[in-house]
Amino acid sequence: MAISSSTASLNLARPIGSVLPTPKFLAVHSFQAAPHRCSPSRFPRLLAVIPRRTATRIEAKKQTFSSFDELLAQSDKPVLVDFYATWCGPCQFMVPVLEEVSEKLNDKIQVVKIDTEKYVNIANKYSIEALPTFIIFKDGKPCDRFEGALNANQLIQRIEEALQVTK
């Protein structure tokens, strides 16, 4: 059922002079409102902004290898390869998930991302037909393969199961 914009605006309308409730938590976003619409004199309570919590981030290391096989051969631990594309929505969903997994399993596995549009020959070699596709390599050879977006706990569980089977 489609809702017209006039219906939506009627549901959000407040009587003139009504007071908005004070928010218990105010999320801060990176966009700015136009200065003529949101002047401090109109909304004095919005000036008190709660400080944001900052999450620790792992910076991705960009490394150059002459070949994908060299990367697999030089790795001292198993490698999780994420085959992705920049236009793929589920692939973009996996970015923070992979950061979390990389942080939690830093001592067990190395996470590598390969853009299937830039490295078509590698994608063809491993028959990548769906995105995202994950392949876990151990000792330079694929030991597990799965497709589709997962949450961090599911991905960690899948990795740990694959590594236990191959020990």
Side-chain angles (χ1 to χ4, degrees):
M1 170 190 246
I3 299 175
S4 69
S5 60
S6 60
T7 307
S9 64
L10 290 176
N11 292 339
L12 299 175
R14 293 189 177 271
I16 295 176
S18 69
V19 178
L20 295 171
T22 304
K24 292 187 188 297
F25 179 77
L26 178 63
V28 179
H29 299 285
S30 61
F31 56 86
Q32 282 186 315
H36 67 280
R37 292 180 183 253
C38 188
S39 65
S41 61
R42 291 184 63 200
F43 302 103
R45 285 185 286 177
L46 292 179
L47 292 177
V49 176
I50 299 171
R52 256 199 241 184
R53 284 186 267 165
T54 57
T56 55
R57 296 202 55 154
I58 294 180
E59 294 297 322
K61 290 191 297 183
K62 278 202 170 187
Q63 294 179 323
T64 304
F65 294 89
S66 60
S67 72
F68 180 65
D69 294 327
E70 179 187 336
L71 177 140
L72 295 175
Q74 289 185 1
S75 180
D76 56 342
K77 50 189 169 184
V79 178
L80 171 68
V81 179
D82 171 24
F83 290 92
Y84 76 100
T86 55
W87 50 261
C88 169
C91 299
Q92 300 308 314
F93 167 79
M94 291 303 297
V95 171
V97 172
L98 287 169
E99 287 176 357
E100 183 178 341
V101 168
S102 179
E103 181 181 315
K104 287 184 178 178
L105 300 178
N106 191 23
D107 57 333
K108 293 183 183 179
I109 199 161
Q110 178 182 2
V111 177
V112 175
K113 295 178 66 66
I114 296 182
D115 187 344
T116 56
E117 292 187 329
K118 287 184 182 176
Y119 301 99
V120 178
N121 57 342
I122 298 172
N124 289 338
K125 179 179 179 180
Y126 293 101
S127 303
I128 306 301
E129 296 177 358
L131 296 175
T133 295
F134 301 94
I135 301 178
I136 299 174
F137 291 86
K138 184 158 182 166
D139 300 323
K141 306 220 182 317
C143 68
D144 193 16
R145 176 189 181 116
F146 49 97
E147 300 169 346
L150 302 170
N151 67 36
N153 292 333
Q154 291 171 326
L155 186 55
I156 289 170
Q157 181 181 2
R158 182 74 186 245
I159 293 167
E160 289 176 341
E161 287 173 1
L163 295 179
Q164 286 176 355
V165 169
T166 59
K167 282 186 179 178

